[in-house]
Amino acid sequence: MTGKMVSALFASAMLATPLAQAAEVVLKVAHFWPTAAISQRKVLEPWCEKIKAASSGRMECQIYPSMQLGGTPPQLYQQAADGVADIVWTVPGYTAGRFPSVEVFELPFMARDAESTSRALWAYYEKYGRKDFAAVHPLALHVQDPGYIHTNKRQITKVDDLSGLKIRTPTRVTTKMFTALGATPVAMPMPSLPEALSKGVIDGYILTWESVPSVKLHELTRYHTETDASQPALYTAVFAMVMNKKRYESLPSDLKKVIDDNSGVEFSAAIGRAWDEAGPPARQMAVDRGNVLNMLAGSELDAFKKIGEQVSREWIEEMTAKGLPAQEMYDSARALLQENRR
């Protein structure tokens, strides 16, 4: 076979084999967790695979974990609003007071499991939260698995044990709660926890089981205080996955449909379910290390719940003074939680 014949056959083969097409849309997705966290492995990566498959490869993600696009976790929402990122996943409560509507789900002893609470939260958002998130296009609103108290200095068996302890709190509501419990709250994003704990800047933190091993906190903690699983959780935090509004609106209708089909109540519930499923294995890691676990129940838990009721009353009064229908919002959240309870 001559060189010319080989060249001709090669050219013919190239024409017969379609070249891989670059995606029309590459979405920059930013979050604050490390790559090993459930948020990326069990939620973001599968979600990105779904939208790529559903768009026949026309749309894909480029994920930026651990704040790789710069800034700090509290700035993530604004990064989405400004278009620094196309999609972010963040904690609205990191920006105190900016999202008053969804704070009701962070009140003490509201949530049980993350899946049903996330379903309730999305339904609540559609009724009360659209104004707060008007600068972006929300894809999911969800909560974590139940949150507990984790400490080093001493075990927490009653309210008085918290007196004087410096406890990391993630949101404005939890800061109010732990102030009322006698602790000294220290607000900081989750990625700052390991260093703050190891250097003694804080004596403990409140966090869900799922998040503890994601930054190896079980290796830095001695005591873990849970609450009676038959009761609503001490606390949970609201998370939001949101998209830059102009980026969403610029998509052709068929790609918008791909986003729409993979966002909303079912996506929110699926994220919650991922957290619920990740909680027990994460807890077992603390058990395997020989850390001390105890549970608040009975009269000890009632004392915490009494203070929680006080915090909820104060939240209703505060939001009412700001012109919000706070009692209605609170009652609606409770009704939705009951309606969606598993």
Side-chain angles (χ1 to χ4, degrees), residues 23-25 48-60 254-255 258:
E24 294 176 25
V25 176
C48 288
E49 289 170 5
K50 280 185 178 181
I51 67 165
K52 184 174 182 178
S55 66
S56 300
R58 294 170 55 208
M59 184 164 56
E60 63 181 31
D254 59 336
L255 294 188
V258 170

Side-chain angles (χ1 to χ4, degrees), residues 87-110:
I87 294 172
V88 305
W89 195 357
T90 190
V91 179
Y94 282 174
T95 311
R98 184 169 182 175
F99 305 94
S101 62
V102 295
E103 278 188 344
V104 66
F105 278 81
E106 297 178 334
L107 291 172
F109 303 103
M110 289 286 283

Side-chain angles (χ1 to χ4, degrees), residues 152-228:
N152 271 338
K153 188 170 286 188
R154 56 179 172 264
Q155 191 173 6
I156 307 302
T157 62
K158 56 186 183 299
V159 169
D160 290 347
D161 292 334
L162 284 165
S163 180
L165 292 186
K166 294 173 290 184
I167 301 293
R168 174 265 183 179
T169 52
T171 65
R172 193 179 77 94
V173 169
T174 51
T175 294
K176 285 180 172 291
M177 171 73 169
F178 277 77
T179 298
L181 288 168
T184 301
V186 181
M188 66 176 66
M190 193 183 75
S192 303
L193 274 174
E195 182 177 6
L197 199 63
S198 62
K199 290 184 176 180
V201 174
I202 56 175
D203 301 310
Y205 53 95
I206 57 170
L207 199 62
T208 67
W209 273 123
E210 178 281 325
S211 297
V212 167
S214 67
V215 284
K216 299 184 178 181
L217 290 172
H218 59 298
E219 299 177 6
L220 299 169
T221 309
R222 294 180 63 193
Y223 305 110
H224 307 275
T225 302
E226 301 174 302
T227 54
D228 186 346

Side-chain angles (χ1 to χ4, degrees), residues 4-117:
K4 286 184 178 180
M5 291 175 66
V6 171
S7 297
L9 287 171
F10 179 75
S12 177
M14 288 294 289
L15 289 172
T17 305
L19 296 174
Q21 297 294 311
E24 294 176 25
V25 176
V26 179
L27 299 172
K28 294 184 293 184
V29 182
H31 64 87
F32 59 81
W33 285 287
T35 55
I38 183 179
S39 52
Q40 179 152 327
R41 293 186 298 105
K42 299 292 187 180
V43 179
L44 278 181
E45 290 175 4
W47 185 83
C48 288
E49 289 170 5
K50 280 185 178 181
I51 67 165
K52 184 174 182 178
S55 66
S56 300
R58 294 170 55 208
M59 184 164 56
E60 63 181 31
C61 301
Q62 187 169 358
I63 301 176
Y64 296 87
S66 304
M67 301 304 301
Q68 288 179 359
L69 289 181
T72 62
Q75 294 171 331
L76 277 168
Y77 179 86
Q78 196 59 44
Q79 288 181 353
D82 294 342
V84 174
D86 296 311
I87 294 172
V88 305
W89 195 357
T90 190
V91 179
Y94 282 174
T95 311
R98 184 169 182 175
F99 305 94
S101 62
V102 295
E103 278 188 344
V104 66
F105 278 81
E106 297 178 334
L107 291 172
F109 303 103
M110 289 286 283
R112 291 180 184 268
D113 63 279
E115 180 179 357
S116 66
T117 302

